[in-house]
Amino acid sequence: AQTVTQSQPEMSVQEAETVTLSCTYDTSENNYYLFWYKQPPSRQMILVIRQEAYKQQNATENRFSVNFQKAAKSFSLKISDSQLGDTAMYFCAFMNPRSNDYKLSFGAGTTVTVRA
Amino acid sequence: EPEVTQTPSHQVTQMGQEVILRCVPISNHLYFYWYRQILGQKVEFLVSFYNNEISEKSEIFDDQFSVERPDGSNFTLKIRSTKLEDSAMYFCASRGQIYGYTFGSGTRLTVV
């Protein structure tokens, strides 16, 4: 089973500032997918960004970008120009497409609080 | 944008009672999942379902749990005899493309 580690239980950032969330994972696979999900207080799971391991270019979605370091098995999320609506729990997740069911393995999550 | 719909949003049940959590996946998706999140903890995989049968289940998914797609649209999770430790948020998800997961908004199950 894949292990996904998020070492920062909580982070706080001033509005308009930048915050970076760390995620590392353990796998022997060469091809896989990585995701960041946002869970606001409503507890819905919202996809923020995804990265295919075979792509060298880091994924970007508006204010959200990743730093994917395949050799280091690291997948950090950078939130730029933080907004109050970014306050949420953020989960890193791993998917092995060679498994039969493409299930997601999640990290323990990082709670991000954006201060006004 | 297509959605995964879960009902109810919150269910309170007595310990030992049976509960059925319901989900309507996205209509052209073929893969369905249940995940569980105990309050404040990580999201955990329970079961995956494809072609009207379970394709994989986790250790959590013991004999007290079952899933069904009774009518081609609904996807249900049944817990036969609930325990206090079953209290959690239960998420249904469906998948079209390899990475194209869509989660429902969850059912909060409280066992008292």
Side-chain angles (χ1 to χ4, degrees):
Chain A
Q2 275 71 32
T3 302
V4 180
T5 302
Q6 294 179 248
S7 58
Q8 304 149 314
E10 296 181 6
M11 296 197 74
S12 181
V13 60
Q14 193 71 31
E15 197 175 8
E17 299 288 305
T18 295
V19 63
T20 300
L21 312 182
S22 67
C23 172
T24 58
Y25 56 93
D26 181 29
T27 186
S28 57
E29 298 290 334
N30 187 50
N31 189 28
Y32 46 87
Y33 296 88
L34 296 162
F35 306 84
W36 279 98
Y37 280 90
K38 172 184 178 182
Q39 189 180 44
S42 66
R43 303 197 73 182
Q44 186 158 8
M45 295 292 286
I46 302 166
L47 177 66
V48 174
I49 199 166
R50 71 166 179 263
Q51 175 82 40
E52 293 90 339
Y54 62 85
K55 290 187 178 179
Q56 293 186 338
Q57 187 173 6
N58 289 322
T60 299
E61 287 288 342
N62 301 314
R63 298 182 295 106
F64 297 88
S65 61
V66 298
N67 183 5
F68 173 49
Q69 300 291 326
K70 191 172 183 179
K73 296 179 184 174
S74 170
F75 183 60
S76 61
L77 174 70
K78 183 170 77 173
I79 307 174
S80 303
D81 185 24
S82 297
Q83 300 176 359
L84 296 177
D86 295 334
T87 292
M89 194 146 186
Y90 288 80
F91 291 97
C92 179
F94 176 100
M95 179 199 285
N96 175 9
R98 293 202 329 153
S99 68
N100 290 333
D101 59 354
Y102 303 94
K103 68 176 183 284
L104 293 169
S105 298
F106 287 89
T110 297
T111 300
V112 173
T113 303
V114 181
R115 306 185 309 274
Chain B
E1 188 170 332
E3 290 183 345
V4 174
T5 305
Q6 287 187 246
T7 55
S9 57
H10 189 193
Q11 175 137 12
V12 181
T13 188
Q14 296 273 346
M15 189 170 55
Q17 295 295 304
E18 174 183 287
V19 294
I20 298 176
L21 310 183
R22 290 183 167 79
C23 169
V24 179
I26 293 174
S27 60
N28 62 349
H29 284 184
L30 300 177
Y31 300 85
F32 313 112
Y33 305 83
W34 285 100
Y35 287 81
R36 180 181 83 173
Q37 184 186 29
I38 294 172
L39 185 63
Q41 298 186 22
K42 68 162 60 174
V43 180
E44 300 173 293
F45 168 78
L46 287 178
V47 66
S48 57
F49 191 85
Y50 170 71
N51 200 24
N52 281 323
E53 61 183 21
I54 291 173
S55 53
E56 186 168 339
K57 58 185 180 180
S58 72
E59 293 176 352
I60 304 167
F61 196 89
D62 61 23
D63 293 343
Q64 294 298 311
F65 291 87
S66 63
V67 289
E68 197 175 42
R69 195 149 190 254
D71 55 11
S73 62
N74 290 286
F75 179 51
T76 62
L77 174 69
K78 182 192 292 186
I79 309 175
R80 288 190 185 81
S81 177
T82 50
K83 303 186 285 287
L84 294 176
E85 53 265 40
D86 293 328
S87 293
M89 195 81 167
Y90 289 81
F91 291 100
C92 173
S94 69
R95 184 173 63 80
Q97 300 170 343
I98 288 175
Y99 45 72
Y101 263 82
T102 302
F103 282 88
S105 20
T107 293
R108 180 175 295 182
L109 176 65
T110 302
V111 182
V112 297

